[in-house]
Amino acid sequence: GPALAVAGLRSALAAAVLLCVLREWHARWSWWFVSGAVAGAAAMLGFVVATKLTTAANAIFLVYTAPLYVALLSPWVLREPIRGGDWLTILVAMLGMGCFCFEQLTWEGWVGNLCALGSGLATAWLVVCLRKHAATSPLPLLVLANLLVAVAGIPFLKAARPDPVTWGLLLLAGVGQLGIPLVLYGKAIPHVRAIEAVLIPILEPVLNPLWVWLLVGEVPSGWAPLGGAMVLGAVTARGLALVWHTPRED
């Protein structure tokens, strides 16, 4: 209940940020636009529900299987071929995510696991639809996705009852953690392939312990450092390889 209310308020703020950036609404209402927005909302809500019904490690690992689905969908839907280096990056990143979450992965909470898996699938479809709309502007699609999450959170607002401190944190999360990153993500989508658009965001969960270590001094334990290093190394190496192999324009 309260978690869905918080997600709804956060998305409402993010939608406001996106609307401030949009100078005009030039979206074409199509199957890709609507299904992408629904998938975006489902991805966000599915992750919130999953973290309540299973461990955070399970939720993170299953949601971030999204690159695998994008790799399978891209050649078929977007005519974007997936190269050998892409598959290698996905394999290393998935193994890294497994190491990162290894100590807390369980078979319990199958409903939550299904929600997380569904969130990963929805994330993949969102990325594919954003690429389909790259020529017009993916920002309206992201606006609609966040508005759907905001509407879904309305029935739970009474249970949340945020205090002033919570409102401040919500403002920070809605604007700084979701709104502005989505603006930048929307701006980047037309210039990258779908596989890049879904691989780079998987750095988010593995960088969290790094920030905690730097700011709080809490050292990550067990397999987490190895897993994080694998994901970071795979995505970074692939990015550098793309830069090196991209012909320079004179």
Side-chain angles (χ1 to χ4, degrees), residues 82-90:
I82 302 299
R83 309 179 186 109
D86 298 327
W87 285 112
L88 180 61
T89 305
I90 291 169

Side-chain angles (χ1 to χ4, degrees), residues 59-236:
I60 290 169
F61 178 74
L62 292 170
V63 167
Y64 286 97
T65 54
L68 178 61
Y69 317 134
V70 170
L72 295 172
L73 287 168
S74 286
W76 172 54
V77 179
L78 300 172
R79 302 292 186 268
E80 293 179 358
I82 302 299
R83 309 179 186 109
D86 298 327
W87 285 112
L88 180 61
T89 305
I90 291 169
L91 175 63
V92 176
M94 294 280 291
L95 288 172
M97 288 300 295
C99 291
F100 180 74
C101 302
F102 178 72
E103 291 177 319
Q104 293 177 306
L105 287 175
T106 68
W107 292 105
E108 297 175 5
W110 64 271
V111 175
N113 292 341
L114 285 177
C115 287
L117 192 61
S119 180
L121 286 164
T123 299
W125 189 249
L126 167 65
V127 170
V128 168
C129 292
L130 284 170
R131 281 291 297 149
K132 273 284 185 180
H133 262 264
T136 52
S137 173
L139 291 184
L141 193 157
L142 293 170
V143 170
L144 183 56
N146 279 281
L147 287 176
L148 289 173
V149 175
V151 170
I154 288 173
F156 304 97
L157 283 176
K158 277 190 177 180
R161 295 181 181 176
D163 54 32
V165 174
T166 305
W167 274 113
L169 292 172
L170 273 172
L171 185 64
L172 188 64
V175 176
Q177 190 254 337
L178 188 61
I180 294 172
L182 282 179
V183 169
L184 298 174
Y185 193 68
K187 296 287 186 183
I189 281 285
H191 307 289
V192 296
R193 291 187 302 143
I195 194 65
E196 277 112 40
V198 77
L199 268 173
I200 293 172
I202 68 171
L203 293 175
E204 179 191 359
V206 302
L207 288 176
N208 281 345
L210 176 63
W211 292 118
V212 172
W213 174 49
L214 290 173
L215 297 174
V216 183
E218 182 181 318
V219 180
S221 61
W223 293 83
L226 173 63
M230 288 173 69
V231 175
L232 184 60
V235 175
T236 304

